[in-house]
Amino acid sequence: MQAPKVRLRNRLPKSCVECRRRKQRCIPSKEGPCSNCLRRYPPVECIGLPEFRQPFKVDETFAATDDLTEIKPWLIVPSAPNLEPQKALGGRVTAINTLNGMPIKPGIRNAELLHFFQEYVMPHYVSIDGKNLPALFVKAILPWMIQSPLMPNIAILMASCSQRIERGMDIDPSQTLSIKSHVLSLVTQYLKQDFALIGDEAVRAVTHLVIVEWWWGTPESLWAHMNGIREMIHLQGGMDKFPDPTLSLVLTLTDLELACGYERELFFDYPPPPPSDSPARPPPASLPPAISLSSPLLAFPTTFKDNISAFKLTPEAADILDDVSFLSTSLTSTQPPPTTNKVISTASWLHSRISSLPIQPSKKNSSEAAVADTIRLCAIVYTSCISTLTPFASPPPVSLSLLPIIKKNIAKVPLARWKEIPGVFLWVLLVICPSCAVGDDIEGRRLRKMMAVTGMAIGLEGGFATGIAYLRGFWGCNGGLQTKGK
């Protein structure tokens, strides 16, 4: 008896080879590996039909390692000929080489956290709206992140903290604490090496731990890490002895942001500035690289009213910013230094003038109305604190009642709009952040993070000298208040 013939199917399978071997449901992608192969460890080659998609190849030269002395890439940029070079390097096309060659514990959760760091944490670390990474970040900071033996584990910690606290995901706090403990043990182990060889790497790593504690942690741990950085700076021989000048600028910017946010003295020691009559001393204010980066914390050759179309502000808001700029520069002037009575009288006059301005009704764009109202209310708080010689952390009761309204107005404005006027946005955040510097509320943490990101974004876009000058201007105003108040 002849056996019946088996009828073969003509339909070609769309699943990849590995999913067919494991008998798993495959969801193929035209841009890379399927969802199953993306999570596999050790990584495998996801091979499908060439007509449907291009195979995603994994570099087989990498091998998982726990040796912190080996520096292996963990952020891999796939070829993207149809994209611009900067977007291909710094944008969302960046892909994670699935735990391959990284000194971290392999697992699905770690892969998810690294992906979240790349897609959300890193873009919002240096950009106000998380888009268009600054070229200086791509050139000077991203290469270190790619090659760092410590940064992969720190990135996992930052992603876990962001998911649990900032995004409100249901994550066991013990998981984040376990990751933090592991990171601290790795840093401690790394510091046992010759500091002359690993000094830059160690300072960069601990600086990111400062950011973790500032945004999502506790002040006690924050200042403990700052103490550690200060000791490492002394071992290096001073702030200006680091081989990479970008590292010194980032440390200075971070120190100033903390000093402004917590209304305290600078933490690090800096070389004395040149004398006022020295040609090496820069002018107190200079035009920023872009008009949009201008801030009311310093005086510039052109006023906000002169560039009202570039800032897209109402005439009333531009006038208020020019008044704030006049008050800020008069408070920090050294030739001659202002007297207490002059500061109080000037601030009181501006406070009365701004407080009496009528509230402009919103006609078309509620976002622009919120920007104008935020500027007006912040100017009232700013002049009120200066006229009464009161710290911004505890403004007078009338101004204190305005802070919730300011926070609501900030949330009404899209981040893309604030990104168009980062210098103004930084001043707004510096005014309200001291009042929420301490606390565990989500809104306060969000504002602290936004202030730090805005200062960093200005430094990366317009040069660190611009961001540092703005922060020094506000810190000088705050220091002048405390001195004159005493």
Side-chain angles (χ1 to χ4, degrees):
M1 182 177 177
Q2 188 178 3
K5 294 182 179 181
V6 179
R7 184 172 178 269
L8 299 177
R9 295 192 308 171
N10 295 325
R11 184 173 64 87
L12 295 176
K14 293 184 179 181
S15 59
C16 69
V17 174
E18 188 65 20
C19 284
R20 289 201 300 274
R21 186 182 72 83
R22 295 172 179 255
K23 297 182 179 180
Q24 294 177 330
R25 181 173 179 269
C26 181
I27 303 177
S29 172
K30 294 182 179 180
E31 300 178 353
C34 68
S35 57
N36 293 329
C37 290
L38 189 63
R39 295 167 176 256
R40 301 194 200 282
Y41 186 87
V44 298
E45 188 173 4
C46 184
I47 302 176
L49 291 179
E51 295 84 1
F52 182 73
R53 55 180 169 149
Q54 296 292 330
F56 185 83
K57 296 183 178 180
V58 178
D59 191 346
E60 297 179 357
T61 60
F62 294 148
T65 177
D66 291 329
D67 186 1
L68 293 180
T69 60
E70 293 189 20
I71 299 177
K72 299 287 184 94
W74 59 282
L75 288 175
I76 304 299
V77 183
S79 58
N82 59 328
L83 296 177
E84 298 177 5
Q86 181 177 346
K87 291 182 180 179
L89 179 60
R92 295 182 180 273
V93 298
T94 312
I96 293 177
N97 185 25
T98 315
L99 304 187
N100 197 15
M102 289 179 289
I104 64 175
K105 184 178 180 180
I108 294 177
R109 178 57 179 160
N110 282 348
E112 292 174 345
L113 289 173
L114 282 176
H115 184 72
F116 182 80
F117 175 82
Q118 170 197 277
E119 291 294 313
Y120 179 81
V121 178
M122 185 175 70
H124 289 84
Y125 169 47
V126 293
S127 176
I128 294 176
D129 62 349
K131 299 178 181 179
N132 301 325
L133 298 185
L136 184 58
F137 171 78
V138 175
K139 180 181 179 181
I141 300 178
L142 185 59
W144 166 77
M145 286 185 168
I146 294 175
Q147 301 179 27
S148 169
L150 295 172
M151 193 59 204
N153 288 280
I154 297 176
I156 289 175
L157 174 61
M158 296 178 75
S160 180
C161 292
S162 178
Q163 285 186 349
R164 186 176 66 86
I165 299 175
E166 189 176 351
R167 302 297 293 271
M169 296 184 181
D170 187 14
I171 298 174
D172 188 358
S174 62
Q175 181 187 101
T176 304
L177 291 176
S178 176
I179 297 173
K180 182 185 292 188
S181 176
H182 179 62
V183 169
L184 293 177
S185 65
L186 289 177
V187 174
T188 302
Q189 176 188 349
Y190 193 78
L191 287 172
K192 294 179 180 179
Q193 303 178 59
D194 186 359
F195 186 79
L197 300 177
I198 54 94
D200 277 23
E201 173 70 28
V203 172
R204 290 176 187 269
V206 179
T207 301
H208 280 79
L209 295 181
V210 168
I211 294 173
V212 169
E213 298 297 340
W214 188 14
W215 294 355
W216 305 297
T218 61
E220 294 78 13
S221 298
L222 164 65
W223 301 122
H225 290 318
M226 289 291 286
N227 270 319
I229 295 177
R230 181 164 57 184
E231 293 301 321
M232 287 189 282
I233 292 175
H234 291 165
L235 290 175
Q236 190 73 19
M239 183 75 76
D240 54 345
K241 300 300 181 182
F242 288 103
D244 184 6
T246 303
L247 177 56
S248 301
L249 294 171
V250 170
L251 288 174
T252 303
L253 191 77
T254 304
D255 193 13
L256 280 165
E257 288 178 336
L258 290 172
C260 293
Y262 286 95
E263 292 190 322
R264 56 174 296 159
E265 294 296 323
L266 293 175
F267 210 84
F268 303 140
D269 298 326
Y270 299 91
S276 58
D277 56 348
S278 172
R281 184 182 180 92
S286 59
L287 192 65
I291 293 295
S292 60
L293 294 176
S294 298
S295 173
L297 294 168
L298 294 177
F300 296 98
T302 58
T303 64
F304 284 92
K305 195 168 186 177
D306 294 336
N307 300 284
I308 191 171
S309 59
F311 291 103
K312 302 177 184 177
L313 296 172
T314 63
E316 294 78 14
D319 285 336
I320 292 174
L321 291 174
D322 288 332
D323 290 340
V324 170
S325 178
F326 171 77
L327 178 61
S328 300
T329 53
S330 65
L331 183 61
T332 57
S333 175
T334 58
Q335 298 178 353
T339 62
T340 302
N341 291 335
K342 182 178 180 181
V343 170
I344 293 176
S345 60
T346 303
S348 299
W349 179 79
L350 289 176
H351 179 74
S352 300
R353 177 179 176 276
I354 297 172
S355 300
S356 62
L357 291 176
I359 300 177
Q360 299 295 326
S362 175
K363 296 181 179 180
K364 296 181 179 180
N365 195 331
S366 59
S367 173
E368 294 304 322
V371 170
D373 196 45
T374 300
I375 292 173
R376 181 182 68 87
L377 296 178
C378 277
I380 293 175
V381 176
Y382 190 70
T383 54
S384 174
C385 290
I386 294 177
S387 63
T388 57
L389 303 180
T390 305
F392 292 99
S394 53
V398 176
S399 297
L400 186 63
S401 63
L402 300 178
L403 295 181
I405 304 176
I406 296 175
K407 295 175 183 179
K408 290 181 180 179
N409 282 343
I410 293 175
K412 291 179 182 178
V413 182
L415 292 178
R417 174 63 181 120
W418 286 123
K419 189 176 182 178
E420 295 176 353
I421 48 174
V424 176
F425 191 36
L426 179 63
W427 167 71
V428 168
L429 293 171
L430 287 172
V431 170
I432 64 174
C433 273
S435 62
C436 55
V438 179
D440 199 33
D441 61 300
I442 301 299
E443 186 179 37
R445 290 182 181 275
R446 183 180 64 85
L447 291 172
R448 295 201 297 268
K449 177 186 175 183
M450 190 56 63
M451 186 266 282
V453 172
T454 304
M456 178 64 72
I458 292 176
L460 292 171
E461 291 285 355
F464 280 100
T466 302
I468 290 173
Y470 291 165
L471 292 167
R472 281 193 180 276
F474 185 84
W475 180 71
C477 290
N478 204 354
L481 286 182
Q482 296 183 18
T483 301
K484 297 180 185 303
K486 293 177 182 179

